[in-house]
């Protein structure tokens, strides 16, 4: 019922003990139990405050049957049609219900084929598909039942193999030293500082020695980000609001949790728009995304440009 490769790497998110599959659930030696629905392990904790309401929804509804898969091979999954404004960001809002294709980004990191890769907060799986197309052995984790079920359908529709888990980035249900690369995009930027630090420690735990983490975050002094903070009156962020981190605090938090950390430019003027999606974006936004990409290339020679970037990658190496 669960892919054996995945089962071997799963661990209890409470005690980190090994799990045994018993009919329709997983159980650790201490008696912690996790249901499996439609081949997907439900590893969310029901006794902690959640990062997003979708986790409570998943705990309540996971045993209900999944909706039928979309009709026709060319149709775009309805969950992706609805979620693209949230998963892609503001520049994708006009595509709600009108996506002509899946917006699959280009993952900007290199690794040998077969590398075990974890995407934290994968939702419908855009980064999972990108990594799987490069031949990496991909696991996606997310607390959204609709997101994970959509990811399963999108993987089938795009012809890639990925493993999916319903779970919480702060309590990763994997054995130590499982992944060579952990990636997360537009996820930890929404966490409270305490939750982001907890998630970073978990990422450090599940990375192999010399494995890499690449975590996208929002930078406090990016031009767009200053404007957004001004718009909300510099009030304290709540719930899933974006948190704008100073670079020094990012470097310190991830160095402590994982290992030596560098900060590089992901983009300017937007937190999410991808060069691979130019054809989907409005013409004015295409110019912004191209300019952002040009500046990112300049930043490879002038790394101090990261101080003005809106979106940054926090790159850590596990020691
Ligand atoms: Zn346990």
């Amino acid at each position: 019922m669960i892919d054996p490769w995945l089962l071997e790497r799963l661990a209890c998110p409470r005690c980190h003990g090994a799990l045994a599959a018993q009919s329709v659930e997983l159980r650790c030696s201490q008696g912690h139990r996790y249901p499996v629905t439609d081949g997907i392990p439900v590893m969310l904790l029901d006794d902690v405050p959640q990062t997003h309401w979708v986790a409570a929804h998943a705990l309540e509804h996971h045993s209900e049957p999944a909706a039928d898969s979309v009709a026709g091979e060319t149709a775009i999954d309805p969950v992706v049609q609805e979620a693209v404004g949230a998963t892609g960001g503001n520049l994708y809002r006009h595509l709600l219900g009108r996506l002509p294709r899946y917006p699959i980004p280009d993952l900007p990191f290199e690794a040998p084929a077969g590398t075990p890769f974890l995407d934290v907060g994968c939702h419908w799986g855009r980064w999972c598909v990108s990594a799987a197309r490069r031949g990496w052995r991909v696991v996606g984790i997310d607390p959204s039942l609709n997101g994970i079920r959509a990811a399963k359908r999108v993987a089938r529709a795009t012809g890639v193999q990925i493993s999916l888990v319903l779970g919480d980035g702060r309590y990763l249900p994997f054995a130590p030293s499982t992944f060579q690369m952990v990636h997360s995009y537009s996820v930890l930027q929404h966490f409270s500082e305490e939750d982001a630090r907890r998630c970073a420690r978990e990422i450090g735990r599940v990375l192999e020695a010399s494995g890499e983490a690449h975590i996208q975050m929002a930078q406090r002094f990016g031009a767009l980000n200053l404007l957004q903070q001004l718009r909300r009156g510099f009030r304290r962020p709540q719930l899933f609001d974006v948190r704008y981190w100073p670079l020094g605090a990012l470097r310190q938090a991830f160095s402590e949790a994982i290992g030596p950390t560098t900060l590089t430019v992901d983009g300017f003027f937007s937190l999410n728009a991808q060069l691979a999606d130019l054809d989907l974006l409005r013409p004015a936004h295409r110019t912004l995304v191209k300019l952002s990409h040009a500046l990112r290339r300049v930043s490879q020679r002038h790394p101090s440009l990261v101080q003005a970037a809106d979106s940054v990658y926090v790159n850590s190496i596990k020691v």
Side-chain angles (χ1 to χ4, degrees):
M1 75 186 163
I2 290 190
D3 153 29
W5 183 92
L6 177 64
L7 182 59
E8 205 175 294
R9 286 155 179 84
L10 285 173
C12 175
R14 288 186 166 84
C15 69
H16 302 160
L19 293 161
Q22 297 181 341
S23 70
V24 290
E25 66 175 20
L26 302 175
R27 190 183 291 205
C28 76
S29 61
Q30 295 192 26
H32 302 130
R33 296 158 63 184
Y34 306 92
V36 177
T37 175
D38 203 15
I40 296 168
V42 183
M43 312 300 286
L44 288 159
L45 272 58
D46 56 7
D47 53 357
V48 298
Q50 306 295 351
T51 55
H52 196 290
W53 64 266
V54 293
H57 172 271
L59 282 163
E60 199 172 330
H61 295 283
H62 64 78
S63 58
E64 295 168 11
D68 289 343
S69 58
V70 285
E73 284 185 7
T74 55
I76 300 300
D77 196 273
V79 169
V80 181
Q81 290 283 20
E82 267 179 48
V84 69
T87 58
N90 290 337
L91 304 195
Y92 293 69
R93 291 255 158 94
H94 65 291
L95 293 162
L96 282 175
R98 298 171 47 195
L99 266 179
R101 65 170 179 82
Y102 289 111
I104 305 296
D106 283 327
L107 197 64
F109 306 105
E110 301 294 332
T115 296
F117 173 98
L118 175 67
D119 192 46
V120 176
C122 65
H123 203 266
W124 64 264
R126 59 183 176 145
W127 295 100
C128 292
V129 172
S130 181
R133 282 179 174 167
R134 294 180 173 216
W136 300 354
R137 187 64 178 82
V138 175
V139 180
I141 185 168
D142 199 277
S144 165
L145 180 62
N146 290 338
I148 285 288
R149 283 179 168 167
K152 190 173 173 183
R153 294 190 297 265
V154 170
R156 196 163 49 217
T158 53
V160 297
Q161 199 214 336
I162 59 180
S163 298
L164 295 160
V165 178
L166 265 164
D168 185 327
R170 301 167 305 165
Y171 305 97
L172 290 173
F174 304 105
S177 309
T178 293
F179 296 97
Q180 180 63 33
M181 191 179 288
V182 179
H183 176 263
S184 185
Y185 199 96
S186 192
V187 177
L188 274 75
Q189 66 174 10
H190 294 285
F191 282 7
S192 71
E193 191 178 316
E194 186 190 341
D195 283 345
R197 287 176 188 274
R198 185 188 292 269
C199 182
R201 287 195 296 273
E202 279 290 89
I203 290 169
R205 183 180 64 77
V206 303
L207 272 173
E208 291 174 21
S210 75
E212 300 172 20
H214 299 287
I215 311 298
Q216 178 272 340
M217 297 293 275
Q219 203 260 121
R220 182 165 293 175
F221 300 106
L224 172 88
N225 292 348
L226 281 169
L227 192 64
Q228 300 287 27
Q229 291 169 88
L230 185 66
R231 274 191 194 145
R232 68 183 192 200
F234 291 91
R235 67 167 165 75
R236 259 177 93 82
Q238 303 163 347
L239 303 173
F240 219 56
D241 278 346
V242 173
R243 269 63 172 186
Y244 299 99
W245 286 65
L247 292 176
L250 280 176
R251 192 179 292 108
Q252 188 202 14
F254 284 80
S255 299
E256 282 173 15
I258 302 172
T261 295
T262 56
L263 301 161
T264 51
V265 171
D266 174 52
F268 296 83
F269 324 120
S270 137
L271 284 178
N272 302 88
Q274 298 295 316
L275 195 65
D277 296 336
L278 271 190
D279 59 305
L280 300 173
L281 301 176
R282 291 189 191 281
H285 293 157
R286 282 179 209 159
T287 310
L288 273 186
V289 174
K290 281 188 207 163
L291 183 57
S292 167
H293 181 66
L295 285 168
R296 181 168 59 200
R297 291 181 66 140
V298 173
S299 76
Q300 290 166 359
R301 277 176 287 122
H302 302 282
S304 61
L305 259 183
V306 72
Q307 293 172 27
D310 288 293
S311 183
V312 300
Y313 263 115
V314 185
N315 313 287
S316 309
I317 301 200
K318 166 81 176 284
V319 287

